[in-house]
Amino acid sequence: MTHLDASRVAFLVALVAPLAITGVLVPFRDSVPNTSVALILVVIVVAVAALGNRLAGALAAIWAAVWFNFFFTRPYQRFTITRPADVQIALLLLVVGLAVSQLAARARRLQVVAITDADYLARIHDTATLAQSVKARREQWSITSRPSSPRCCTCAAAVSSTAR
């Protein structure tokens, strides 16, 4: 799955999942506390934020708050909230969803930095290893190829320049 495909899937899940989950939970709204419903919706928002990008996570948070308001706050199936506790839950659902989306985006950015840094460190290590092996070969060559007494002035100049 490419990055573009994952983003499209995340946007689709951001639009559909909050509505689907709240729709499934509507028959239980008298027995399930609103805080539990909000936590279930936060899990959906976290999944979307982890799968997609910041915008998909924010969209999931907004839709989760909207559908929570529509299906789980009185008066039901209206975009109004009469109880202060439900206002607080809806706002916290939105804020937590937006914060998680931001954190997921930051984590993805830091992952790219870590991978890039690891690649740079590997290149530095490879360069150092190569330099060390060249140095060792030069030392070995200078020890084994040094004549005991040069036969002419050209050989003497060559030996003295490699010894430096």
Side-chain angles (χ1 to χ4, degrees):
M1 187 182 297
T2 65
H3 183 268
L4 184 60
D5 291 337
S7 293
R8 287 183 180 175
V9 169
F11 277 109
L12 181 65
V13 172
L15 291 172
V16 174
L19 176 60
I21 294 297
T22 53
V24 167
L25 293 174
V26 164
F28 308 104
R29 71 178 157 203
D30 292 331
S31 60
V32 176
N34 283 353
T35 52
S36 297
V37 174
L39 287 174
I40 292 168
L41 290 171
V42 165
V43 170
I44 298 300
V45 172
V46 168
V48 169
L51 174 66
N53 55 27
R54 181 183 301 132
L55 188 58
L59 184 63
I62 291 167
W63 278 115
V66 164
W67 294 122
F68 173 79
N69 176 9
F70 190 76
F71 288 116
F72 288 93
T73 62
R74 292 179 193 231
Y76 296 132
Q77 298 177 351
R78 298 201 195 284
F79 291 109
T80 57
I81 302 175
T82 56
R83 292 179 25 200
D86 289 338
V87 171
Q88 184 180 20
I89 292 171
L91 286 176
L92 285 173
L93 175 60
L94 180 62
V95 169
V96 167
L98 293 173
V100 165
S101 297
Q102 180 64 27
L103 290 172
R106 181 175 166 89
R108 278 189 294 279
R109 189 171 48 249
L110 290 175
Q111 180 183 20
V112 169
V113 169
I115 290 170
T116 304
D117 287 351
D119 185 46
Y120 290 153
L121 286 174
R123 288 180 185 186
I124 290 170
H125 181 265
D126 292 346
T127 303
T129 303
L130 180 62
Q132 186 66 30
S133 68
V134 167
K135 181 181 175 187
R137 285 185 185 166
R138 279 187 180 171
E139 289 173 355
Q140 181 183 15
W141 181 79
S142 66
I143 292 171
T144 59
S145 66
R146 190 175 286 164
S148 57
S149 62
R151 297 180 187 214
C152 67
C153 21
T154 308
C155 293
V159 169
S160 65
S161 68
T162 59
R164 286 185 221 164

